[in-house]
Amino acid sequence: SPLPFRSSETTSILLAVNHQLGFMWQRGNDNWSSTTMSASLILQMLREHRFESVLPLVSETLRNAAAESPQRLGEVARELVRWQGFFQNTDHAKAAEPYFRTVFTLLEELAGPETPPTIAAAENLGGLLGSIDKLDEAIPLRERALAQMSNR
């Protein structure tokens, strides 16, 4: 399928090539539009269950947004944590675990542990971990998210 932007708008190759799928993308020269396009591409890749190959793009997109401004990081983060995933089976849920861990870890680092996007990412990760029987990790994350929400 074609990339969601014109080649005349592109200036550099963005970080990753999925060697198994031969997937490559580029980003535009404007940070706002490139993070917006990257977030759209991330969501498309998640819907296609490309969980491992999306990780470099997730990292780059969140770091670029953080470098731009805290507000932009919040906007991009909200878009990414909105995707909670609906999985056909446990194997798909397990395959998505690195994505949820990466988003949570990066948001905790870049936005801070008590920000709404980080709390939402903790809730998402906790829910996923609970669904794949990693309750020892899921419960503390969900408790943390609930405690932070009740303190607001």
Side-chain angles (χ1 to χ4, degrees), residues 47-84:
R47 286 188 296 272
E48 295 169 357
H49 300 257
R50 296 181 184 182
F51 303 116
E52 287 293 326
S53 60
V54 78
L55 297 179
L57 183 58
V58 168
S59 179
E60 181 73 10
T61 300
L62 288 173
R63 290 186 188 286
N64 284 346
E68 189 175 329
S69 72
Q71 178 184 359
R72 185 65 187 140
L73 175 60
E75 292 167 358
V76 172
R78 278 189 296 278
E79 200 169 329
L80 296 183
V81 298
R82 191 175 304 136
W83 189 84
Q84 297 174 356

Side-chain angles (χ1 to χ4, degrees), residues 12-111:
S12 63
I13 294 178
L14 180 65
L15 256 187
V17 174
N18 177 338
H19 297 288
Q20 294 171 331
L21 299 173
F23 191 82
M24 179 170 56
W25 60 89
Q26 297 177 312
R27 66 180 177 128
N29 61 4
D30 175 67
N31 281 342
W32 188 86
S33 66
S34 69
T35 55
T36 300
M37 286 186 285
S38 296
S40 295
L41 182 56
I42 289 166
L43 296 174
Q44 175 185 336
M45 293 173 74
L46 292 172
R47 286 188 296 272
E48 295 169 357
H49 300 257
R50 296 181 184 182
F51 303 116
E52 287 293 326
S53 60
V54 78
L55 297 179
L57 183 58
V58 168
S59 179
E60 181 73 10
T61 300
L62 288 173
R63 290 186 188 286
N64 284 346
E68 189 175 329
S69 72
Q71 178 184 359
R72 185 65 187 140
L73 175 60
E75 292 167 358
V76 172
R78 278 189 296 278
E79 200 169 329
L80 296 183
V81 298
R82 191 175 304 136
W83 189 84
Q84 297 174 356
F86 295 99
F87 305 106
Q88 296 173 351
N89 56 50
T90 304
D91 289 338
H92 282 158
K94 287 179 180 177
E97 182 182 348
Y99 167 77
F100 287 98
R101 281 192 188 279
T102 298
V103 170
F104 172 67
T105 302
L106 283 169
L107 288 177
E108 196 170 42
E109 171 193 333
L110 299 170

